[in-house]
Amino acid sequence: MTEYALLTSVVITLFSLSVALYFDLRYQRIPNLLCLLTFLLGITVNSYFHSWDGLLEALSGAGLATLLLIPAYYFKILGAGDVKLIIGIGTLAGPLVLTWSIAYGVIFGAFTSILIATKAVGWRGLKMMIYRYIDCLYLRTYFKPEKGDAGRVNVPYAPALMLGWMLATYVNHDIDDLMWTIEVIINEISTSLNLI
């Protein structure tokens, strides 16, 4: 991936995830328009910089996101907005970064979900959820969460998805080349300004 293509993808993805984070935390929904724009920009950017190979990369990222996340939506682990957003991010990031983003997002999601749910219902609600799950395991039956249980809290998942993408992007070896290029450009600009 060229530096310009990578920089464009990273900036668009960061912007989309930031807007999604705001809407998910504030309104507990991610706008369909944002998901659609992210999807279309991913296809456009990859097609522009890499022609047919870029289009194939974008579509394979979106297809992989669909395969991985439709079961999570079906079992009500993720909301439709989260799934649509990650499908759009898949067109920008491609399958490799997307896979790691989802994997890291699941890990971060365990922590962010507990923190957000605990903030909403307090330690008492968290203890209620833990005891309910212990009872479910012991009696081998599922009990619905009662009022005040942390399990009843609708937890926005955009924070976990954003953290997962950020970590996946940070450990991507292509980012090292991009950061080096940006550093060289900044040094050249500062040298040019010092000469004036």
Side-chain angles (χ1 to χ4, degrees), residues 89-105:
I89 299 301
T91 62
L92 285 161
L96 181 63
V97 174
L98 174 83
T99 302
W100 285 109
S101 296
I102 292 172
Y104 294 140

Side-chain angles (χ1 to χ4, degrees), residues 177-191:
D177 297 337
L178 176 64
M179 297 311 283
W180 182 81
T181 303
I182 291 171
E183 186 178 335
V184 167
I185 291 170
I186 289 172
N187 287 338
E188 287 178 3
I189 290 172
S190 69
T191 303

Side-chain angles (χ1 to χ4, degrees), residues 7-45:
L7 181 61
T8 305
S9 294
V10 166
V11 167
I12 292 171
T13 304
L14 182 61
F15 178 77
S16 295
L17 285 170
S18 299
V19 172
L21 180 67
Y22 169 77
F23 277 97
D24 206 14
L25 289 174
R26 179 84 188 242
Y27 305 108
Q28 291 192 339
R29 71 181 308 271
I30 297 172
N32 288 332
L33 182 60
L34 175 67
C35 301
L36 179 63
L37 286 174
T38 304
F39 180 82
L40 293 175
L41 284 170
I43 288 177
T44 304
V45 166

